[in-house]
Amino acid sequence: MLLNVTDKQKEEKIPPVVRLGFRPFFLFGALYSCVVIVIWAGLYVHPNAFSLTVPSLWWHAHEMLFGFAMAIVGGFLMTAVQNWTGVPGTRGLKLFVVFMLWLAARLSFWVDVPIWSSLALDTLFIICITWSVGHRVVVTKRRRNYLFIPILAMAAALNTLSYGVLLGYVSLPINQVWHSTLLWYMMLIGVMGGRVIPFFTEKKLSVEIPSLPEWLELAINISFLLLIGVTLALGTDNTVARGLLLLMGIAQGVRLLRWQGWRAYSEPMLLSLHVFYLFLPLGLLLKAVVTDPWASQLIWHLFAIGALGGVILAMITRVTLGHTGRNVYQGPRFAWLFCMLFLSALVRVVGIWLWPSYTLALVSASALLWTISYGWFVLCFGPMLVKARADGAVG
C-alpha cells in the first residue's frame, strides 16, 4: 500500500507516539542520553555510586553508541525510508515491539540476566531496523539506498565484537572497537550529511551547490571503510591510519566548504548542521597530526560530542518540526541548545587538554551542558512527538 492511499481513519486509531519511527526513538533516545551522561558523570567522580552488571566505562561507551545513537539512527531511517519509497514506514504495534526490544536491552544492564541476553536484544533491534529499511528499498528498487543494508550489518558486527571483548571471546583492545564504531558513525554522517546538508542549503538559501562525482563519493566511502578496518585491527597510532585520517580530513573539509555554510549565518537551524559537521574533518585532521597519547585520546570526544551529538541534535530538531507538520524555520527558539552542545565538546576536549588538573570538574561541566541541550529538546519537542501532527496529516 502506497503512502498516498493510507487509510487516515485507520491511522488515527494508532497512538501518535508510534505512528512513525522518529517519534519514540527521538524522544526516548534523547532522554536516555541524559540518563547515561548523568550516571556516567556520577560514576566518574564516585566510582561506586551505581551498581551495574558490566564495567562502568564499557557501559558508558556502549550505551552512548549503541543505546542512544543507534536509537536515533533507527528512528531516522525508519522514517526516511517512507519518503524514499512511498511505502508506509513501520508503525503501530510493530513499531512498539521494536521500541520495546531497544528498551529491554537498555534495562538489561541493571538486572541479573546473562550478558548474552543483552547482546541478543541489541542484535534483534538492529535486525528490525535493517529489515524495516532493507525490504522497502529492495521491493521498490531504490538502489541508491541499498547501501544501508551492509552499513547496518557492520553496526551489528561491531556491537557483537564489543560483547565478545567484554566476555573474553575476542582478543582486541576494547578502545579499538569503540573507536571503530565512532568512525562508523562518522561514515554514516558523511553519507547522510552529503545528501541532506547541501539539499537543505540550496533550498533555503537559493544557491547552487555542485555535487561531487559519484566516483569521488564512492572513493570517500571506501576510504572510510579502510580506516574503520585499520582502526579495528591496529588502532590509529600507525602510519596507515594517520595517512587515511589525513586524506579523509582534507576530503571532508573541502566537501564542507563546497556547501557554503557561512551563508546560513542568520538561520540557526541550517547553520547548526554545517557547524557540527565541521567537527568531522577537524577531528580527522587532528587525529592525523597529534601524536601526544593524552591529547590524541581526548580528540575522540570531538567526534562523539561535536560531530555525532551535534549533528544528531541538529537533525532531530529539524525532523521533529517537519514531520509533525510545523515550519522548520519558524519553530521555538532553540539556537542556544546548539551553543550549549558546542561548548560541551570544547570543554570536554580543549578544556581538559589545556587544564588537565581540572579534569573532574571539566568532565562534570561537559556532562551538564550535554544534559541541558538534550534535556531541553525532550521538554520542548517531546509534546510534539507524542501528539498528532499539527497540520492534521498522517505520520
Side-chain angles (χ1 to χ4, degrees):
M1 180 174 63
L2 294 180
L3 184 63
N4 59 1
V5 294
T6 298
D7 185 348
K8 192 171 187 297
Q9 289 183 333
K10 184 178 179 181
E11 178 83 10
E12 288 174 348
K13 294 178 182 178
I14 302 173
V17 73
V18 286
R19 287 185 184 174
L20 264 182
F22 78 97
R23 290 178 173 274
F25 288 113
F26 285 10
L27 175 58
F28 289 98
L31 177 62
Y32 187 61
S33 79
C34 297
V35 172
V36 174
I37 290 294
V38 168
I39 291 175
W40 171 244
L43 288 169
Y44 198 89
V45 179
H46 303 289
N48 298 317
F50 300 96
S51 179
L52 285 159
T53 59
V54 294
S56 58
L57 182 57
W58 186 96
W59 174 81
H60 166 65
H62 184 272
E63 290 306 276
M64 290 305 290
L65 293 170
F66 292 107
F68 154 64
M70 191 57 66
I72 304 299
V73 168
F76 178 84
L77 290 177
M78 286 191 289
T79 301
V81 73
Q82 177 171 281
N83 296 332
W84 298 339
T85 64
V87 178
T90 303
R91 63 192 65 212
L93 181 59
K94 291 181 181 179
L95 179 57
F96 178 73
V97 170
V98 177
F99 172 74
M100 290 307 297
L101 284 172
W102 173 83
L103 182 61
R106 312 288 64 85
L107 296 176
S108 67
F109 296 112
W110 297 93
V111 294
D112 188 17
V113 296
I115 295 299
W116 64 260
S117 63
S118 303
L119 169 59
L121 290 166
D122 266 339
T123 303
L124 283 172
F125 171 59
I126 298 174
I127 288 173
C128 286
I129 298 171
T130 307
W131 172 256
S132 179
V133 175
H135 93 273
R136 285 171 171 81
V137 299
V138 170
V139 166
T140 57
K141 295 182 172 59
R142 296 300 192 271
R143 291 180 174 82
R144 185 173 183 236
N145 296 310
Y146 284 4
L147 80 165
F148 290 104
I149 299 172
I151 283 177
L152 288 168
M154 282 182 63
L158 288 166
N159 182 53
T160 301
L161 277 175
S162 72
Y163 282 96
V165 173
L166 174 66
L167 294 170
Y169 297 137
V170 178
S171 298
L172 275 176
I174 190 60
N175 275 348
Q176 290 175 203
V177 179
W178 301 141
H179 297 163
S180 298
T181 304
L182 258 178
L183 290 172
W184 177 88
Y185 277 108
M186 296 305 101
M187 180 178 68
L188 186 62
I189 287 172
V191 171
M192 294 306 300
R195 295 183 180 188
V196 302
I197 296 177
F199 172 75
F200 293 154
T201 305
E202 285 185 321
K203 187 175 179 181
K204 180 60 180 175
L205 303 181
S206 300
V207 297
E208 184 177 348
I209 298 175
S211 59
L212 288 179
E214 286 189 14
W215 67 266
L216 188 53
E217 291 282 2
L218 180 62
I220 290 174
N221 292 333
I222 290 174
S223 297
F224 246 129
L225 289 173
L226 289 173
L227 179 58
I228 291 168
V230 171
T231 302
L232 184 61
L234 304 171
T236 54
D237 189 17
N238 57 77
T239 303
V240 174
R242 289 186 186 280
L244 287 169
L245 286 162
L246 183 62
L247 177 66
M248 293 303 300
I250 294 170
Q252 293 289 348
V254 171
R255 191 186 198 199
L256 181 60
L257 283 173
R258 288 164 59 93
W259 297 343
Q260 305 172 44
W262 61 87
R263 295 177 181 270
Y265 65 90
S266 62
E267 296 290 350
M269 178 66 80
L270 180 58
L271 180 64
S272 62
L273 285 169
H274 291 270
V275 170
F276 287 125
Y277 194 95
L278 176 61
F279 281 100
L280 172 52
L282 179 62
L284 292 168
L285 291 171
L286 287 174
K287 284 297 296 180
V289 301
V290 173
T291 56
D292 177 70
W294 166 253
S296 183
Q297 186 67 20
L298 290 174
I299 292 167
W300 288 110
H301 278 87
L302 283 181
F303 295 121
I305 302 175
L308 182 57
V311 170
I312 283 178
L313 186 62
M315 282 300 299
I316 62 177
T317 51
R318 184 185 190 97
V319 171
T320 298
L321 289 171
H323 281 272
T324 58
R326 294 168 171 85
N327 189 313
V328 170
Y329 295 102
Q330 294 180 5
R333 296 182 179 274
F334 47 78
W336 64 274
L337 269 72
F338 302 139
C339 295
M340 292 296 101
L341 196 62
F342 184 86
L343 287 174
S344 176
L346 294 186
V347 168
R348 185 61 179 83
V349 178
V350 180
I352 295 176
W353 193 343
L354 295 178
W355 300 287
S357 59
Y358 295 97
T359 294
L360 287 178
L362 291 169
V363 166
S364 299
S366 178
L368 177 61
L369 290 165
W370 175 291
T371 306
I372 290 172
S373 298
Y374 274 89
W376 187 254
F377 170 83
V378 172
L379 291 174
C380 188
F381 290 79
M384 303 179 197
L385 293 166
V386 299
K387 295 178 182 178
R389 285 178 61 115
D391 58 3
V394 298

